[in-house]
Amino acid sequence: MASGSDRNPIIIGGLPSQVPDFDPEETQEWLDSLDAAVDERGRERARYLMLRLIERAREKRVAVPEMRSTDYINTIATKNEPFFPGNEEIERKVLNATRWNAAVMVSRAQRPGIGVGGHIATFASSASLYDVGFNHFFRGKDEGDGGDQIFFQGHASPGVYARAFLLDRLSEGQLDAFRQEKSKAPNGLSSYPHPRLMPDFWEFPTVSMGLGPLGAIYQARMNRYMEARGIADTSKSHVWAYLGDGEMDEPESLGQLSIAAREGLDNLTFVVNCNLQRLDGPVRGNGKIMQELESQFRGAGWNVIKLVWDRSWDPLLAQDRDGILVNKLNSTPDGQFQTYATETGAYIREHFFGDDQRLRAMVENMTDDQILHLGRGGHDHKKIYAAYAAAKAHKGQPTVILAQTVKGWTLGPNFEGRNATHQMKKLTVADLKGFRDRLHLPIPDKDLEDGLPPYYHPGRDSEEIQYMHDRRKGLGGYVPTRVVRAEPLKLPDDKAYAGAKKGSGQQKIATTMAFVRVLKDLMRDKEIGKRFVPIAPDEYRTFGMDAFFPSAKIYNPLGQQYESVDRELLLAYKESPTGQMLHDGITEAGCTASLIAAGSAYATHGEPLIPVYVFYSMFGFQRTGDQFWQMADQLARGFVLGATAGRTTLTGEGLQHADGHSQLLASTNPACVAYDPAYGYEIAHIVKDGLRRMYGENAEDIFYYLTVYNEPIQHPAEPSDADVEGILKGLHRIKGGEKGEHAAQILASGVAVPWAVEAQQILADDWNVKADVWSATSWNELRRDAVEIEEHNLLHPEEEQRVPYVTQKLQGAEGPTVAVSDWMRAVPDQIARWVPGTYQSLGADGFGFADTRGAARRFFHIDPQSIVLGVLTELAKEGKVDRSLLKQAIDRYQLLDVTAADAGEAGGDA
């Protein structure tokens, strides 16, 4: 990466209106020269001269305002294109076979009785872009490192499968099992890049559009982070992200461009396939998407390479002395170029070249067929190679290549450039014959007329197949390939968790701080301490993690080039090129992308990292839930902390900050192991077990979600008879009832456990009820266990029927059960059907609001007195107490009056 002195200054431009002119005579000479060029040679010539001056100024590192867009022509001039080292004829044959097999695979997947479909037009447009990468750029993993990281465009997966088939990485039977992952197991191929479904093949899930570019940026950054901290040598790794021009409308696609430029990620290249079409029509029918994207990327500080036209345009552009052709290219909207892709050469001659005599003269010696084949740059191997080589050579900035193509290219007139082409999945016999002829493949007509169209393979010993193997061997192996080389980590013993198990004594601390203390001790461990990656969206101080600043430091590749305003304080803000903490700014999406990149480093680079992402819980699963699904798909591991959790616990913040449902959202993610602990010793056991499951022997592809709170409470020391199995499985009894005529059970989680303990005392003192209090550390895990057991029992009726864990734990418990939490009732209701006896849940359903904790809990009827009413209500239903007691309790505790509630514990940001 370029050093700080070699990179662009912070202020890169500006107008001279406020700057004094120290040599007005020289200034006037320059202005007169420009005036003369305009008067004598015209505006186009003067414009060219100005652009060359700007170019030379950049070469001399003179700061001038950035050009936000350039002419609608290739960035790399023909004379500057490097030598193409490949055999273009052989590569054309390889690509033709790949194109055929990709389309046939999808078409065969539409056969009667199957009809699972697929997409062929996206790969048809981007096939050359991939082929040049496969043949000349994409590094494999055979050298023992991570190779290159390639984010394939999701809808282009058929082409990747088709190429793997030619290389004997996939069989014909597997191609025929496309999108039939269970019915054709183990041969089924996933519809898109899904590492969880094909863990030896795909590395990065990308088809949830917008997440690919976001993930690629943070993958490139993670590569630099790992190298800076001495964890892995990633200096040879390059990140390639293949994207669609329509996909760039997703906010995530462009939302984090600045960090890539700010940190000089020249190990990153975006390749945007600009086929000018979305899923249903043009991206910018009345505009020019390539020009728009060029402006956005340039403005964000990226290096931009436009690849617009193929080599057939070079002679025309070379004779364009007046700039009339460039002007025509500049002014023609994308919708019209899309039409030209579907029309005849005569139509193009008349409508594109025909309105100006100078344009007509340029093509007067060309046939209509030659005009028809004036092509797009994204289909020209030599032009693509030049763009890729320039991107790899560029230093100090990430690069985006904007490559113009035609959607459905080579598939025939029914597909090419059509608005409906994205949804078209099956080729007719006529389509197949035309497609075969276009690709010059030796497939007889009868093979296309009878039954399913055949796959084509030129033979394992053929020149083109040997060429493919040789190219991949020279580049370090086959891609895509996912390899897990990481060894299990040597995990800390119980000493690392001793502090949390002692409790907090007379001090009150929030569970957020209890977790932070555990993390701090783990980060001191000599074996795994350096592998922790703390991540937060500009809230380290809120979560009490500013204590890490002096020792762990905040990662910044440029270091700290200023004097921190708090430099004299003990917990001063510290940035370092080798910093351990990722402080990504106010971006949950960016932080989650860092989490995913760190959490999958064990596979990407063979070096496990342990990400710990701490955030406002409301802005986790709700805002970036799609990324947590992506995390599960990518088999990433790590800890996710929903801090300041609860609908009533975050006082004063109000509706959009009050999380009472993230545990429910977490339950929808099959890879997420979610806990809602109450005490420090529970956290210690959960974290210890999480490290074992994710980083020990026989590691699992899961991640942990813990909700922790900002309300200070006293944490008891771990009891000598602590039910560790119950803590980990989701339910353990923490305090038995001591006196009372009638029995009941109170299940509570997280911050609600102290309310349950207080309710237990009130029930004993005021109502002669003996209630046991249970800590439900995970409603979700209890339900998951029960569902799995129910399914087993359903399918194995002849065997002894298994009993869910929650049923076992409560089987002998007396009286009704009341569950309470700071979540909506649907969270504890997950286990209702497996709880013996009567069951009622109390919860914070509805929107949160700003008020004292006591008032909010009284409003939702989840405070200790409301728990008492809930228990009495269930006892009354069972006939154990008289129903008149219920009204007495309501009146006694003024449960209908929120102002009568004790305000509760104040403060406690951490």
Side-chain angles (χ1 to χ4, degrees), residues 878-897:
E878 294 184 356
K880 302 289 181 60
V881 301
D882 192 274
R883 289 191 60 83
S884 64
L885 295 184
L886 307 184
K887 184 64 167 62
Q888 292 179 33
I890 293 172
D891 294 339
R892 181 172 184 172
Y893 304 123
Q894 298 176 270
L895 294 182
L896 301 181
D897 183 3

Side-chain angles (χ1 to χ4, degrees), residues 571-819:
L571 304 182
Y573 195 84
K574 296 281 188 180
E575 297 180 83
S576 168
T578 59
Q580 189 168 359
M581 306 170 75
L582 291 181
H583 206 340
D584 289 346
I586 305 176
T587 166
E588 283 80 10
C591 290
T592 310
S594 287
L595 164 72
I596 296 169
S600 53
Y602 74 93
T604 308
H605 293 293
E607 292 289 348
L609 294 177
I610 309 172
V612 180
Y613 173 31
V614 191
F615 54 83
Y616 259 86
S617 65
M618 184 67 166
F619 306 131
F621 270 90
Q622 174 160 308
R623 177 168 290 192
T624 56
D626 194 13
Q627 285 178 279
F628 285 119
W629 205 261
Q630 179 190 25
M631 182 179 185
D633 197 348
Q634 198 163 315
L635 310 177
R637 305 164 183 169
F639 291 95
V640 179
L641 273 293
T644 60
R647 185 141 288 165
T648 68
T649 304
L650 188 59
T651 58
E653 292 290 345
L655 185 150
Q656 286 190 290
H657 284 65
D659 172 24
H661 52 280
S662 70
Q663 280 284 344
L664 193 63
L665 297 174
S667 72
T668 66
N669 192 311
C672 179
V673 180
Y675 285 94
D676 188 31
Y679 297 132
Y681 73 86
E682 294 177 332
I683 292 173
H685 284 293
I686 291 166
V687 171
K688 179 183 178 183
D689 197 56
L691 288 173
R692 177 190 65 82
R693 291 181 65 183
M694 294 186 288
Y695 298 96
E697 297 288 344
N698 303 312
E700 300 175 59
D701 297 318
I702 55 177
F703 66 95
Y704 271 54
Y705 178 54
L706 280 70
T707 43
V708 289
Y709 300 81
N710 74 328
E711 182 171 1
I713 62 171
Q714 284 185 315
H715 291 248
E718 179 181 24
S720 58
D721 60 346
D723 180 4
V724 177
E725 180 189 48
I727 292 172
L728 299 179
K729 285 185 173 291
L731 186 65
H732 68 114
R733 190 170 67 170
I734 61 170
K735 190 173 182 181
E738 296 179 356
K739 61 178 182 177
E741 178 183 355
H742 306 294
Q745 310 299 317
I746 304 175
L747 277 54
S749 70
V751 76
V753 169
W755 317 340
V757 172
E758 184 178 345
Q760 179 189 51
Q761 189 65 48
I762 297 173
L763 284 164
D765 293 344
D766 296 352
W767 305 98
N768 196 27
V769 174
K770 180 177 67 173
D772 293 346
V773 175
W774 301 72
S775 176
T777 52
S778 181
W779 309 102
N780 295 358
E781 286 302 291
L782 291 173
R783 180 186 185 278
R784 185 170 288 169
D785 167 79
V787 168
E788 290 175 358
I789 286 175
E790 271 201 350
E791 183 177 19
H792 178 273
N793 292 342
L794 177 70
L795 299 176
H796 301 86
E798 74 286 358
E799 297 182 7
E800 181 180 354
Q801 297 293 278
R802 299 176 182 178
V803 180
Y805 186 79
V806 63
T807 308
Q808 295 178 42
K809 295 296 282 187
L810 296 173
Q811 193 69 63
E814 297 181 73
T817 299
V818 173

Side-chain angles (χ1 to χ4, degrees), residues 379-437:
H379 304 308
D380 188 323
H381 277 212
K382 288 185 177 180
K383 300 284 187 184
I384 296 167
Y385 181 89
Y388 286 8
K392 286 292 296 290
H394 189 79
K395 299 302 179 185
Q397 292 174 291
T399 294
V400 60
I401 297 170
L402 304 174
Q404 184 169 222
T405 65
V406 175
K407 196 162 188 176
W409 180 244
T410 72
L411 290 174
N414 292 329
F415 284 80
E416 288 181 352
R418 302 294 176 181
N419 280 337
T421 189
H422 185 79
Q423 310 301 335
M424 298 169 69
K425 310 175 189 303
K426 189 172 179 63
L427 293 92
T428 65
V429 172
D431 290 331
L432 288 167
K433 289 180 178 179
F435 188 32
R436 173 206 59 192
D437 295 342

Side-chain angles (χ1 to χ4, degrees), residues 216-217 220 238-241 260 265-270 302 397-400:
I217 289 172
H238 198 85
V239 178
W240 302 84
L265 298 181
D266 49 25
N267 60 338
L268 170 66
T269 298
F270 277 14
W302 286 51
Q397 292 174 291
T399 294
V400 60

Side-chain angles (χ1 to χ4, degrees), residues 179-218:
R179 292 191 168 196
Q180 300 152 74
E181 297 167 55
K182 298 299 182 184
S183 60
K184 294 294 178 63
N187 292 322
L189 299 182
S190 64
S191 52
Y192 303 123
H194 291 308
R196 181 166 286 274
L197 300 177
M198 296 179 65
D200 299 325
F201 193 85
W202 296 113
E203 282 195 279
F204 306 104
T206 53
V207 84
S208 186
M209 287 188 277
L211 299 191
L214 181 66
I217 289 172
Y218 282 86

Side-chain angles (χ1 to χ4, degrees), residues 102 122 178 250 261 268 295 345 426 494 506 512 519 541 553 597 648 697 714 727 752 838:
T122 292
F178 177 57
E250 289 284 3
L268 170 66
S295 297
K426 189 172 179 63
D494 287 342
Q506 296 302 309
T512 301
L519 177 61
R541 294 186 192 278
K553 299 183 179 62
T648 68
E697 297 288 344
Q714 284 185 315
I727 292 172
T838 58

Side-chain angles (χ1 to χ4, degrees), residues 167-415:
L167 289 167
D168 281 338
R169 298 185 64 208
L170 296 176
S171 68
E172 184 171 320
Q174 286 175 294
L175 294 193
D176 268 350
F178 177 57
R179 292 191 168 196
Q180 300 152 74
E181 297 167 55
K182 298 299 182 184
S183 60
K184 294 294 178 63
N187 292 322
L189 299 182
S190 64
S191 52
Y192 303 123
H194 291 308
R196 181 166 286 274
L197 300 177
M198 296 179 65
D200 299 325
F201 193 85
W202 296 113
E203 282 195 279
F204 306 104
T206 53
V207 84
S208 186
M209 287 188 277
L211 299 191
L214 181 66
I217 289 172
Y218 282 86
Q219 182 62 58
R221 184 184 188 230
M222 185 57 59
N223 290 358
R224 287 282 168 79
Y225 170 89
M226 295 181 72
E227 185 174 5
R229 296 196 53 229
I231 293 174
D233 180 4
T234 62
S235 58
K236 296 180 181 179
S237 292
H238 198 85
V239 178
W240 302 84
Y242 285 80
L243 317 166
D245 48 0
E247 179 181 8
M248 305 312 288
D249 283 344
E250 289 284 3
E252 295 87 351
S253 296
L254 300 174
Q256 292 296 302
L257 297 184
S258 60
I259 190 173
R262 188 167 65 246
E263 298 196 5
L265 298 181
D266 49 25
N267 60 338
L268 170 66
T269 298
F270 277 14
V271 181
V272 184
N273 175 23
C274 297
N275 58 34
L276 313 185
Q277 288 186 235
R278 294 179 180 145
L279 306 185
D280 290 324
V283 179
R284 298 287 186 273
N286 293 323
K288 300 179 82 65
I289 186 60
M290 292 185 72
Q291 302 298 84
E292 181 181 318
L293 291 175
E294 179 185 24
S295 297
Q296 291 171 317
F297 278 93
R298 282 191 188 279
W302 286 51
N303 174 46
V304 179
I305 298 174
K306 284 197 303 193
L307 176 54
V308 193
W309 308 113
D310 72 7
R311 70 193 75 176
S312 64
W313 287 86
D314 290 347
L316 296 178
L317 290 166
Q319 59 180 293
D320 186 29
R321 296 183 177 276
D322 296 326
I324 186 65
L325 177 57
V326 170
N327 181 66
K328 182 68 174 180
L329 296 172
N330 288 342
S331 58
T332 302
D334 285 354
Q336 193 62 43
F337 278 125
Q338 184 182 355
T339 298
Y340 291 144
T342 67
E343 285 291 347
T344 64
Y347 179 93
I348 297 170
R349 183 192 300 273
E350 177 184 353
H351 290 84
F352 183 81
F353 294 100
D355 58 358
D356 189 288
Q357 176 58 40
R358 292 167 294 181
L359 287 175
R360 292 196 297 272
M362 284 185 183
V363 295
E364 61 185 0
N365 293 323
M366 295 178 66
T367 66
D368 286 348
D369 188 63
Q370 288 174 320
I371 292 176
L372 178 65
H373 288 93
L374 289 169
R376 314 289 168 95
H379 304 308
D380 188 323
H381 277 212
K382 288 185 177 180
K383 300 284 187 184
I384 296 167
Y385 181 89
Y388 286 8
K392 286 292 296 290
H394 189 79
K395 299 302 179 185
Q397 292 174 291
T399 294
V400 60
I401 297 170
L402 304 174
Q404 184 169 222
T405 65
V406 175
K407 196 162 188 176
W409 180 244
T410 72
L411 290 174
N414 292 329
F415 284 80

